[in-house]
Amino acid sequence: MQTAADAGDAATLLAAVPAGRRVALVDPRFVGHVHALRLGLTDPRFAAATVPGALTAQPEARGALLRALRRTTAAVGAGAPVVAPETDPAPEDRTVPGRIAVALEAEGTAVKRPELGSLTATVPTDAGARATAESARDEVDDEAVRLRSAVKAHDGFFTTFAISPYSRYIARWCARRGLTPNQVTTASLITALVAAGAAATGTRGGYVAAGILLLVSFVLDCTDGQLARYSLQYSTMGAWLDATFDRAKEYAYYAGLAIGAVRGGDDVWVLALGAMVLQACRHVVDFSFNEANHDAVANTSPTAALSDKLDSVGWTVWARRMIVLPIGERWAMIAVLTALTTPRIVFYALLIGCALAACYTTAGRLLRSLTRRASRTDRAAQALADLADSGPLAQGVAAVAPGLRGAFTAPAVALLGTLVMIGGALFLPYGSLLTVAAAAVYVLLSGLAVARPLKGALDWLVPPFFRAAEYVTILVLAARSDVPHAVPAAFGLVSAVAYHHYDTVYRIRGGTGAPPQWLVRTIGGHEGRTALVAVLAAVLTHASGFTTALTALAVAVALVVLVESIRFWVSSSAPAVHDEGELA
């Protein structure tokens, strides 16, 4: 920390700081809470940020900061006082940091202004104003504010009332001992994997231990985000770990329950895979709808207005959040049922609960889509195309086929293809070449569905239909094969493919676009993988080779997807994605 005599001296001192470092300007007369400065000056997610009397710039905004400071110096003089004339538009813009923030924005550099709430941050200009500011500062405990703000603003009922009241203090304990959110996230994963191992023992003691450990894992899962918010330790790596580990933990636990059930004489692998498929399809409905409407204009849906009205009534907010069975309620249910009942009952409860939640959320999204008058943007259409995960076969069909017109044509064609594929897998003789023919029809219809930009009112349904077609086909063919261990192999394959789809979602959310086309082509796209599994089922009928083939395909997809995903998320181009509003 260095003290500048005036604006000109500040420019000289800033120019001497090594280029790779963050810099900050703070008016020496600043009065306020330490956490207000922390929010304004230490959040790593923003290139530039300001609170009244203070300004910070990351290395990428350093050049713009120096240019703005030099322009300010030239305008007011190098030795001018740090207070601008009283005619400036806002009090916070009368200091040098405030003037520079305005100049940065005028140049096109985004400057984050964090919400301070009850925190004080000001630059008093006389003794009376200073006394008032100091009194306001002393009346508010900024540590209490910091603890409250560590908790996610919109969370589920169970998390809000059963976890967050004490997990925030665990987060503070971790912060004071130098632990990072990534370390807590990793601890949560390890705990969940140990829970899955306990469930895999198939004993009552193992199930009780598994339920307890799963809840401990969830407490740590809440703590890592609270620690990130408490200490402002956001990172791209942390975003990736947090976004993917929840799914890894849940699916590993499903596998542990299935293994434990088999040891107890009850094969529930089909139920475990069904629960995973249903959960993944639920999520893609949410993701696809949100991306389709991310930047939609002219939203006039009365359904959305009704939803906003219901949110103004306290009890309906919590009821609606519980209905969708978010991760807190879901994991609490899984943990309790694991300890007290059997894996089969756990999966029945999951399937019923997730099915009801899916019906509720999907019905609401359908009503909103049908009753709104909004224009889909090119960005939304591209996001939906990326979420569709069309491979070379569907892309080839789309390239030569004329685009089918009609407001609901794309989802109708996608639904027809999905019904043909799933129906063929379910009802045609297992191992029949007719199933391969159904797969060929699915490939054709998949290409036709994406031949035109997905800008229709219900076009956000196209990716969920494709996910259902692929996942359910793999599940059904593996279940009908009667080949030992085919369903566990299918579980691994769907897990690998689902990871790829979640990875796509979080890349799009971060504004960096979908995974590269070479990756989609290499792993075949949804239609290529679906057709390949249909061919394998026909060629390797009632042979152990089907299990081997599914396992090899799962390993190949997982290796390609994971290597590319890790390369991307640890690179400098990775976005900082934080699920502040998602209930997972």
Side-chain angles (χ1 to χ4, degrees), residues 29-36 118-122 130-143 145:
R29 299 163 302 163
F30 175 86
V31 174
H33 290 98
V34 173
H35 193 52
S118 59
L119 296 175
T120 296
T122 186
R130 172 169 287 275
T132 300
E134 290 175 345
S135 176
R137 178 195 61 194
D138 295 341
E139 288 176 358
V140 176
D141 182 352
D142 71 337
E143 179 60 19
V145 173

Side-chain angles (χ1 to χ4, degrees), residues 430-431 477-487 489 533 535-551:
Y430 180 80
L477 291 178
R480 293 188 65 195
S481 69
D482 290 329
V483 175
H485 310 302
V487 179
V533 172
V535 170
L536 292 174
V539 173
L540 304 173
T541 307
H542 303 301
S544 60
F546 186 51
T547 298
T548 303
L550 287 180
T551 303

Side-chain angles (χ1 to χ4, degrees), residues 429-570:
Y430 180 80
S432 168
L433 290 178
L434 291 175
T435 306
V436 178
V441 173
Y442 175 67
V443 169
L444 175 64
L445 293 175
S446 297
L448 292 175
V450 297
R452 291 178 62 83
L454 298 175
K455 292 188 175 183
L458 296 180
D459 283 1
W460 56 270
L461 286 169
V462 171
F465 286 149
F466 289 163
R467 293 298 80 74
E470 180 178 5
Y471 297 165
V472 175
T473 297
I474 295 172
L475 165 61
V476 170
L477 291 178
R480 293 188 65 195
S481 69
D482 290 329
V483 175
H485 310 302
V487 179
F491 189 97
L493 175 57
V494 173
S495 298
V497 175
Y499 176 87
H500 163 60
H501 291 143
Y502 281 110
D503 185 51
T504 300
V505 167
Y506 286 103
R507 292 197 197 204
I508 294 172
R509 281 184 172 182
T512 59
Q517 273 298 301
W518 70 260
L519 174 66
V520 177
R521 289 193 295 268
T522 299
I523 61 176
H526 71 92
E527 80 290 349
R529 292 186 298 269
T530 304
L532 177 58
V533 172
V535 170
L536 292 174
V539 173
L540 304 173
T541 307
H542 303 301
S544 60
F546 186 51
T547 298
T548 303
L550 287 180
T551 303
L553 182 58
V555 171
V557 171
L559 283 176
V560 174
V561 168
L562 281 173
V563 169
E564 162 56 22
S565 178
I566 293 171
R567 180 210 64 77
F568 171 78
W569 285 101
V570 301

Side-chain angles (χ1 to χ4, degrees), residues 351-377:
L351 289 167
I352 293 170
C354 289
L356 291 174
C359 290
Y360 170 78
T361 55
T362 305
R365 283 159 171 68
L366 285 170
L367 285 174
R368 290 190 184 203
S369 300
L370 292 172
T371 58
R372 73 187 298 163
R373 292 188 296 274
S375 299
R376 300 277 188 251
T377 63

